Amino acid sequence: MNVSSQRWILGGLAVLLALVGLAWFLAGVEDARGIVERPDQPALTPTANSSAPRRTQLTEPKLVAPTRTDRADLYTTVLWPLEIELELVEARHRPKAKGAPAAGSGADARLAGTITGAQGEPVPGVRVTFLEGANAGRTLVATNQGRFGANDLYPGLSVLEVRGPGILGSRREVRLRSRKETLLNIPYGRPAAVFGSVYDHAGEPLPNAEVLFDGVKVFTDTEGAFYIAKVAGGPCLVEVSAEGHATERQIVNVASGRVMERDRIAFRLQQASTLELICRDRVGGPGPIQVTLLPSDYSARTFPWYSVNPVLVEPGVPTRVEGLPRGAVRVLGFREGALVAERGANLRPTRPTEVQLTLTEAPKLTGVVTRDGEPVAGALVRMEAPDRVQAMLSFHRRPSFFLETAVMDFPAPALQEVETRGDGSFELTAWDDIAPDRYLEVWGPDNTTWAGRVVKRGERRIELELKELTHGRSSLELDIVGRHMALPISVTVNGQPHAELILPADEPLVIDSLVEGVWRLSARWQARVVQQELLIELDGVDTRPLATIPEIIEGQTAEEWSRAGRDWPGPPD
């Protein structure tokens, strides 16, 4: 074969490969959300979890913008912002039992991160939403510096979604730990290309399998292969499912700017098992039994149990759960006014495994909610243990590392929520044995009225009168003394960073819409402590002086600005 023929063949192969790549790309064109879908396939949406808390948020703390914005008023030679942190220690309005922890005391895990775009620039307005786990429903929003965070999250495993303008988006699993900070920095500047394969239990290529890779959904071709053109670097959550097979869940580390070859990422799915749940008892209710399935083996983490939990079982109606992995599982259940005995099951793909659920009567807490003496229908009633995490561990009879064995929500002894009936009545399971003191709170249907109290051991009947919601109307004014020019400010409230601002010399920093109660204030500048942790009891408007250091008063020199890679602002106008 001569050189000309070789060149012709190589050129033909190059064209053929280019056409195949183009066809592969067109078969999976990404939409604006970064999700690839086929017309004949339903869109994948987050699992609806009826036991997840319905969030009832008070007012969102906010910074009051400076009144003067002229260039002369905003002139400063201070290079770095004064970092102010404000953390709620105890809200005054929430019920508090003597000798018991405050409500939400178990929510002490921290998450912080930064989202950067195509050129490494911060991306503002990105929404980080918890989809599954104990923090389900919580959303954090990135500031104009692309920063997000919170310091009042429940520990354990959570699945979250990252969405925002101009980015690919992501779906990640995070491990949150008590009194520790977890970092989640996602750069979208150098995406990776991912090739992969899916095989069945016999090792044969599996066509038309659904692959959800970091929030991007594609389907395998006839050879069991898939391709995703752009994926953000980092530990990506991947879920692979196919008819007749158990869903496979893995964390795949993707290197930014690289091409992940097909032989590097391969999934082998197992035959699916089926669980049939039957309950003939009609104790408690109304409503179905909420069944939670968890692996008996702590290491069995290759299946996304949150995708099936909770399973809703109506007494007298057999309920089948398909697509489960083989192996030993725990079957736990809950129904208002009833105890559901825990069961174990050994799942096999050969035939369905039947589990009989047994209900016994449990002590109830009943009550009625009124407003101006009239019953209120559709009010949200929430009863929680003072420390949800400890109540959860007590219920499962497991040590603290159990929180990291699966993505799971709180069980009923830790948190129950119901809505009042047409006559304003409600019914809960008492759970005195798990938490002798429990906190009961009620929000009106329009979220503008509220009531709350402590429920003691042995109480069985409660009456609550809704009042106008008056929480979150306090503000803190910080007078940063001694300044003769403006000052860059960075404020974090409960771990959530707010947009940076430039504060004129003669204006105080005002943080508004704060909940009444005890707050902890601290301030730093370039890692130097400006204000040690100071406890402040807020009720209305509180004005406080904040000491400064010479660097904040005098600013930095032109040479220091140059060494920091910043342009010297020059003399004031």
Side-chain angles (χ1 to χ4, degrees), residues 384-400:
E384 62 178 301
D387 189 330
R388 294 188 196 176
V389 176
Q390 287 305 313
M392 180 180 192
L393 296 175
S394 297
F395 173 73
H396 285 285
R397 301 185 300 278
R398 296 292 192 273
S400 59

Side-chain angles (χ1 to χ4, degrees), residues 11-276:
L13 287 173
V15 172
L16 179 61
L17 288 173
L19 290 174
V20 170
L22 178 61
W24 214 340
F25 175 78
L26 292 177
V29 178
E30 296 179 61
D31 68 6
R33 282 174 46 85
I35 299 218
V36 182
E37 297 173 358
R38 287 185 178 178
D40 58 341
Q41 293 287 343
L44 188 68
T45 56
T47 304
N49 188 339
S50 62
S51 66
R54 190 179 87 186
R55 298 293 166 180
T56 49
Q57 186 169 324
L58 301 176
T59 53
E60 181 72 23
K62 59 186 178 182
L63 304 185
V64 177
T67 58
R68 296 204 308 279
T69 56
D70 292 342
R71 187 176 185 276
D73 293 322
L74 301 182
Y75 173 78
T76 183
T77 61
V78 180
L79 249 174
W80 298 282
L82 175 65
E83 300 172 1
I84 294 176
E85 292 188 12
L86 200 58
E87 180 179 356
L88 181 63
V89 177
E90 186 174 322
R92 177 185 296 174
H93 73 279
R94 301 205 69 182
K96 177 68 168 68
K98 185 177 180 180
S105 58
D108 57 2
R110 296 171 174 262
L111 176 68
T114 304
I115 307 297
T116 53
Q119 306 301 321
E121 77 285 3
V123 183
V126 172
R127 299 178 68 84
V128 180
T129 302
F130 288 84
L131 301 179
E132 307 288 350
N135 300 291
R138 183 81 178 268
T139 296
L140 309 176
V141 181
T143 68
N144 54 353
Q145 288 81 39
R147 297 169 53 226
F148 66 90
N151 63 5
D152 56 351
L153 298 169
Y154 287 100
L157 296 174
S158 291
V159 175
L160 52 79
E161 180 184 65
V162 180
R163 294 293 176 200
I167 62 172
L168 295 172
S170 293
R171 181 181 170 96
R172 301 287 166 101
E173 181 182 279
V174 294
R175 177 180 283 104
L176 301 172
R177 288 178 170 161
S178 178
R179 295 186 293 277
K180 295 185 182 298
E181 184 175 76
T182 298
L183 295 178
L184 181 64
N185 299 316
I186 304 181
Y188 288 102
R190 298 175 60 237
V194 174
F195 292 84
S197 301
V198 179
Y199 301 95
D200 65 13
H201 66 282
E204 296 297 323
L206 191 57
N208 205 39
E210 180 182 282
V211 181
L212 186 63
F213 202 115
D214 200 34
V216 177
K217 185 167 67 174
V218 294
F219 296 85
T220 56
D221 61 14
T222 55
E223 300 298 322
F226 66 89
Y227 168 67
I228 303 174
K230 294 181 179 181
V231 175
C236 299
L237 175 61
V238 185
E239 295 157 270
V240 184
S241 57
E243 185 72 24
H245 295 77
T247 300
E248 179 81 7
R249 169 215 154 276
Q250 287 189 24
I251 303 297
V252 176
N253 287 304
V254 174
S256 296
R258 301 286 296 275
V259 176
M260 305 289 287
E261 300 296 341
R262 179 173 175 177
D263 59 349
R264 293 278 305 278
I265 302 179
F267 302 92
R268 184 166 177 169
L269 305 190
Q270 299 299 315
Q271 283 182 289
S273 300
T274 299
L275 177 65
E276 186 170 52

Side-chain angles (χ1 to χ4, degrees), residues 365-369 381 418-421 423-428 440 442 461-464:
L365 176 71
T366 62
V368 63
V369 177
V381 181
V418 297
E419 287 191 352
T420 55
R421 306 181 183 103
D423 59 356
S425 64
F426 65 88
E427 186 175 282
L428 300 165
L440 187 68
V442 182
R461 180 71 179 175
I462 299 290
E463 293 185 4
L464 291 153

Side-chain angles (χ1 to χ4, degrees), residues 5 13 88 123 166 187 214 322 364 397 413 467-468 476 549:
S5 298
L13 287 173
L88 181 63
V123 183
D214 200 34
E322 299 177 334
K364 297 179 183 179
R397 301 185 300 278
K467 303 292 184 183
E468 183 183 357
L476 178 63
I549 56 178

